[in-house]
Amino acid sequence: MLGRWRTFQLFTLTLVLNLGGCASWFSDDSVDPAVHLVKVEVVRAKLLEQKFILHFRIDNPNDSDLTVRGMEYRIHLADMLLAEGEHEHWITVGPKSSAFYRIPIRTNLWPRVKDVVKMLKSPHQQVPYRLQGEMETGLFIAHYVHLERNGVIIPADLIPEHNR
């Protein structure tokens, strides 16, 4: 019985020591990708519903492919919440390269129409935006990249009459 106990202890010790090597399978020395909102495309702007496509550029600084599974987002224009939600669409960004990720959004700005009119009063005036959220990456095991970006948009760039 004592021989079996020693064999069990030896087996357990060997198993524990070998599992330390498995941890390296899941360790990740990669740098988080950079995500930039590069364009807001107006698809349709009606009174009670507005549709946009948000164009993001994802920069992969690593030496291996980056699999993007989806994105959870909240976008504010000035202090007004424009849209929030989740978009599940898988893309692969090659090593040391960039790819574009498009998210269609639908919103209703009618309750905040006075604020929107104030922002559009000077179409060449910059409007600050804030993007918050998480991007889910990874092929087998999910990794979440926290997103926090601030920038400005110029409403005249989004209105076709001002682009001529």
Side-chain angles (χ1 to χ4, degrees):
M1 184 73 171
L2 190 56
R4 285 186 179 169
W5 179 249
R6 293 248 187 239
T7 304
F8 177 73
Q9 285 178 329
L10 183 60
F11 174 74
T12 304
L13 178 63
T14 304
L15 183 65
V16 168
L17 291 175
N18 285 328
L19 284 179
C22 294
S24 66
W25 293 350
F26 303 108
S27 70
D28 196 4
D29 297 338
S30 62
V31 178
D32 282 346
V35 180
H36 305 279
L37 178 62
V38 294
K39 182 180 175 185
V40 178
E41 179 184 343
V42 178
V43 176
R44 184 172 60 210
K46 292 187 175 184
L47 188 60
L48 296 176
E49 179 185 66
Q50 299 79 41
K51 291 184 179 183
F52 303 96
I53 295 178
L54 305 178
H55 296 261
F56 293 94
R57 187 185 75 234
I58 301 172
D59 300 327
N60 179 10
N62 300 300
D63 294 325
S64 59
D65 283 345
L66 171 72
T67 301
V68 176
R69 299 177 177 193
M71 192 180 297
E72 176 187 317
Y73 58 89
R74 284 172 305 290
I75 299 174
H76 292 82
L77 287 179
D79 292 326
M80 177 179 58
L81 178 65
L82 173 66
E84 65 180 331
E86 291 181 41
H87 183 67
E88 291 186 21
H89 178 72
W90 287 51
I91 65 166
T92 301
V93 183
K96 303 234 184 260
S97 65
S98 300
F100 290 94
Y101 192 78
R102 298 170 19 142
I103 298 179
I105 63 169
R106 189 181 338 194
T107 188
N108 180 3
L109 297 175
W110 178 250
R112 307 288 305 262
V113 72
K114 288 182 183 179
D115 297 328
V116 173
V117 168
K118 285 179 189 175
M119 281 189 266
L120 297 177
K121 194 171 190 178
S122 286
H124 297 286
Q125 180 77 26
Q126 295 180 341
V127 177
Y129 77 84
R130 185 173 71 248
L131 165 67
Q132 299 170 308
E134 285 185 329
M135 182 172 63
E136 185 178 359
T137 65
L139 190 56
F140 297 113
I141 298 174
H143 174 70
Y144 297 92
V145 177
H146 181 71
L147 303 176
E148 183 81 35
R149 297 279 185 263
N150 295 306
V152 294
I153 61 168
I154 300 171
D157 294 344
L158 303 175
I159 302 170
E161 299 86 47
H162 289 280
N163 291 331
R164 295 179 193 162

